[in-house]
Amino acid sequence: MAEPTQTLVDSRRPQIYPTLEPAEIERLRRFGEVRSYAAGEALATVGGVDHGLAIILAGHVDVVRRDPWDRRWPIVTHSPGSIMGELAQLAGRPALVDAYAQGAVEALTIPPERLRALMVAEAELGERIMRALILRRVGLIQAGAGGPVIIGRAGNGDVLRLDGFLSRNGHPHQSLDAETDAEAKALIERFHIDPGQLPIVLCPGGQLLRNPSEGELARCIGLVGPVDPKRLYDVAIVGAGPAGLAAGVYAASEGLSVLMLDGRAFGGQAGASARIENYLGFPTGITGMALMARAYTQAQKFGVEMAIPDEARTLQGTEDDGRFILALATGERVSARSVIIASGARYRRIAAANLASFEATSVHYWASPLEGKLCAGQEVVLVGGGNSAGQAVVYLASQVAKVWLLVRGSRLESSMSRYLVDRIAGLANVELATEAQISGLEGSDGMLQAVRWRRGGEEIRRDVRHLFLFIGAEPNTDWLAGSGVALDNKGFVLTGADAVSDRRLLETSRGGVFAIGDVRAGSVKRVAAAVGEGAQVVAALHAFLAKTPARLPPLSG
Ligand SMILES: Cc1cc2nc3c(=O)[nH]c(=O)nc-3n(C[C@H](O)[C@H](O)[C@H](O)COP(=O)(O)OP(=O)(O)OC[C@H]3O[C@@H](n4cnc5c(N)ncnc54)[C@H](O)[C@@H]3O)c2cc1C
């Protein structure tokens, strides 16, 4: 196993490992407790939840990572004034690395809830600490250090699934190719693994999982813990996309207790966006993952409890009960005085088996100037007959050599506004193919090389590197069946006066249940709009909570 790369650590060492002045440490004493450690004693153990962040007062602490052979690799040695910890300590999650006292050590330990109070009360110091914790996590991710090891064949669907899950959740991990990596082969032998049982995952705590589900893996590495069934949260937010994360940040920063659930990963659709160019304040654009990872850390800083991956299956209870119950896919139950539905939508995809392999580079659900530039001077295919497809065609036609517009129906007029139909008709470089359906995608290494479609009895093939899909979005509202939350005819959640005449803005037909972001009928399907609704809903939430009883007897059973 190679030494982890040190690029980030080298370039940003003073920010990753700041040393606090004695006067600064004095100011932090009120947030923690002084503890003594004997030589060799552990301050943190991989997989264990420790006392929290530790400010070293006396002595030295070695931080090391362990590999699957129990070999130890030094990361850093902390001296007096140093801070020991990373993002796991902010959220009270299991440690990713070991830390041992070199000799006798005295440290000020700050538990997660006090650390969050520190961040708020000591803004400048809090910012320095937060930056160090984030950069340390990024360093671990870059080095693939301190997390589980996936062993399987490179390119195997389950390896990609597990790798994608950990990446989307910002968790360090390493993937070893079972066919070419000598250490992977040795591990397979050591654990007597049949090739048919691959991929396997070795968790940092030593457990071995055979081709686990995302939920099993998340539980093994402590990414998600059990939900306390007796706890009554002020609000449960379903969905950790931009809308849910924004609502979490505003609600928790205003003192509400918040549980946030997401069935997959934080970030939602935005987390999958290669580059967001139109979010205010980022003139050079930002990757969706970078934007969402910041929001996720920010929500944790304000004390939002995360249950990811945990999927909501049903919603029960009423405003009059003063308690809503979410039943989760794990069989657990969450109780909350109010609920925010932020479960978003998913773009419809075509049924081509290899579609996913081209999605990072060649398949687009969006036609912004970025895509325009990417496809400039080329031939592209666009599928869809609605107005958003029409607008995209008009824009792309000004950038590319030719647009093939494929629609399933026999007439564009039946699904698109007249003005767009007329404009498209006037564009010489747009060719409309009605009653057409994609029959195949060709390419390699994630790059599309040709698209085939069927029209009548004929199959047409064009050398095309970019495919645009504008075939609509489906709301993630199946889990609301039987909840009494009113939906529109496409399944999006109705809010405000569209739901019931005297409803608050963003409140659904069920009092105390709110909906924001892409899942809401009539919302603008953009990151900024989702974030705005997340901020706005908190005012309505306060108004609702002010009139419902704050304390209820715990649930029995
Ligand atoms: C490829 C792509 C590129 C985009 N680019 C841009 C762009 O450049 N600029 C822009 O403004 N917008 C862009 N968008 C649109 C933007 O991402 C969305 O408008 C935005 O993410 C909507 O946020 P949301 O929080 O409402 O929902 P989502 O982002 O859809 O998040 C919803 C979350 O809820 C979770 N969830 C669903 N059901 C459940 C359940 N039952 N239990 C628990 N969790 C559940 C999902 O896993 C998901 O994480 C893009 C979208 C895509 C797909």
Side-chain angles (χ1 to χ4, degrees):
M1 195 175 297
E3 268 280 15
T5 46
Q6 296 285 299
T7 49
L8 179 87
V9 177
D10 292 341
S11 61
R12 299 185 73 172
R13 184 166 283 278
Q15 287 180 318
I16 299 177
Y17 299 119
T19 303
L20 302 183
E21 296 297 330
E24 291 172 329
I25 295 176
E26 279 314 304
R27 296 211 316 263
L28 298 185
R29 278 186 189 268
R30 67 196 154 112
F31 296 101
E33 196 180 314
V34 177
R35 290 175 197 274
S36 300
Y37 298 87
E41 198 180 334
L43 280 81
T45 321
V46 170
V49 178
D50 46 55
H51 295 298
L53 195 82
I55 315 271
I56 313 305
L57 302 175
H60 293 86
V61 174
D62 291 324
V63 178
V64 293
R65 71 176 180 88
R66 251 190 267 161
D67 71 13
W69 285 267
D70 237 10
R71 289 179 306 202
R72 286 153 201 240
W73 301 84
I75 294 179
V76 68
T77 297
H78 288 306
S79 314
S82 305
I83 304 160
M84 193 217 80
E86 61 90 57
L87 281 183
Q89 276 72 25
L90 175 70
R93 293 271 153 78
L96 297 172
V97 293
D98 293 322
Y100 299 102
Q102 238 185 40
V105 164
E106 201 166 81
L108 176 71
T109 59
I110 306 177
E113 64 285 1
R114 298 297 294 149
L115 179 57
R116 295 195 285 266
L118 178 162
M119 301 274 178
V120 176
E122 288 282 347
E124 190 276 327
L125 256 176
E127 186 190 318
R128 267 157 62 202
I129 294 174
M130 182 62 119
R131 183 176 300 122
L133 305 191
I134 293 171
L135 289 172
R136 287 174 190 182
R137 173 59 65 97
V138 175
L140 288 177
I141 292 173
Q142 270 189 358
V149 180
I150 305 169
I151 300 172
R153 273 182 288 277
N156 168 274
D158 285 313
V159 171
L160 296 176
R161 171 178 65 81
L162 296 167
D163 191 74
F165 169 73
L166 292 167
S167 304
R168 284 290 305 272
N169 278 291
H171 201 86
H173 63 282
Q174 216 186 348
S175 287
L176 302 181
D177 186 345
E179 278 169 1
T180 57
D181 190 293
E183 300 204 325
K185 288 183 187 166
L187 282 167
I188 290 170
E189 228 165 78
R190 174 169 147 187
F191 291 109
H192 311 293
I193 305 294
D194 251 32
Q197 295 175 317
L198 292 174
I200 54 164
V201 180
L202 299 171
C203 296
Q207 307 90 322
L208 183 145
L209 304 176
R210 289 175 163 80
N211 196 11
S213 68
E214 286 89 328
E216 283 166 336
L217 175 56
R219 277 173 172 76
C220 187
I221 59 177
L223 198 61
V224 64
V227 176
D228 180 357
K230 298 228 167 79
R231 171 119 194 240
L232 180 66
Y233 291 90
D234 288 328
V235 57
I237 303 176
V238 180
L245 285 168
V249 165
Y250 289 103
S253 69
E254 292 175 23
L256 301 179
S257 60
V258 184
L259 180 76
M260 185 175 299
L261 301 153
D262 198 295
R264 287 189 59 222
F266 67 80
Q269 300 167 68
S273 172
R275 194 143 207 98
I276 297 176
E277 296 276 347
N278 56 357
Y279 190 67
L280 192 72
F282 292 90
T284 53
I286 180 165
T287 66
M289 188 60 192
L291 183 66
M292 291 298 106
R294 286 170 195 208
Y296 176 69
T297 306
Q298 196 175 15
Q300 285 185 315
K301 170 179 134 176
F302 285 117
V304 175
E305 278 185 42
M306 298 290 178
I308 303 177
D310 257 339
E311 189 189 330
R313 283 280 167 85
T314 61
L315 167 65
Q316 293 148 21
T318 67
E319 164 178 27
D320 305 327
D321 304 338
R323 180 200 301 276
F324 293 97
I325 310 281
L326 290 168
L328 308 188
T330 53
E332 294 172 296
R333 293 197 301 169
V334 170
S335 303
R337 296 170 62 205
S338 62
V339 172
I340 297 178
I341 301 168
S343 48
R346 49 189 187 274
Y347 283 87
R348 279 205 199 107
R349 303 158 88 229
I350 53 164
N354 55 354
L355 177 73
S357 62
F358 303 119
E359 276 183 323
T361 49
S362 306
V363 178
H364 312 280
Y365 298 88
W366 204 256
S368 73
L370 186 79
E371 284 77 24
K373 223 190 285 170
L374 202 65
C375 310
Q378 303 177 42
E379 221 172 83
V380 302
V381 170
L382 189 146
V383 185
N387 279 349
S388 56
Q391 283 158 3
V393 168
V394 171
Y395 170 68
L396 285 172
S398 68
Q399 308 292 313
V400 305
K402 175 162 187 163
V403 183
W404 288 93
L405 171 57
L406 312 190
V407 296
R408 242 200 337 211
S410 56
R411 294 173 68 246
L412 204 50
E413 292 81 346
S414 50
S415 53
M416 195 181 286
S417 296
R418 184 77 241 172
Y419 82 97
L420 282 168
V421 176
D422 291 344
R423 282 191 68 185
I424 288 171
L427 295 168
N429 63 344
V430 178
E431 188 160 339
L432 173 67
T434 54
E435 296 175 332
Q437 251 177 305
I438 299 275
S439 50
L441 305 177
E442 297 171 20
S444 58
D445 298 329
M447 298 295 289
L448 190 62
Q449 276 149 5
V451 174
R452 298 194 309 271
W453 63 90
R454 205 170 276 289
R455 197 169 175 231
E458 197 191 354
E459 185 170 69
I460 297 150
R461 181 184 179 282
R462 300 291 302 187
D463 288 340
V464 159
R465 279 179 178 65
H466 294 280
L467 170 66
F468 290 81
L469 299 178
F470 281 81
I471 47 179
E474 279 167 7
N476 294 319
T477 47
D478 298 354
W479 65 281
L480 290 170
S483 68
V485 170
L487 309 176
D488 73 3
N489 59 2
K490 290 188 177 141
F492 289 88
V493 181
L494 293 168
T495 52
D498 291 341
V500 180
S501 57
D502 63 345
R503 275 289 173 251
R504 297 176 187 90
L505 227 58
L506 304 178
E507 197 168 19
T508 68
S509 58
R510 300 281 307 275
V513 179
F514 301 82
I516 54 174
D518 276 17
V519 77
R520 196 176 71 76
S523 67
V524 175
K525 310 303 189 236
R526 295 282 188 281
V527 176
V531 169
E533 292 189 3
Q536 193 184 357
V537 74
V538 176
L541 203 59
H542 278 303
F544 169 78
L545 292 174
K547 72 170 186 58
T548 59
R551 293 203 179 280
L552 290 165
L555 275 183
S556 54

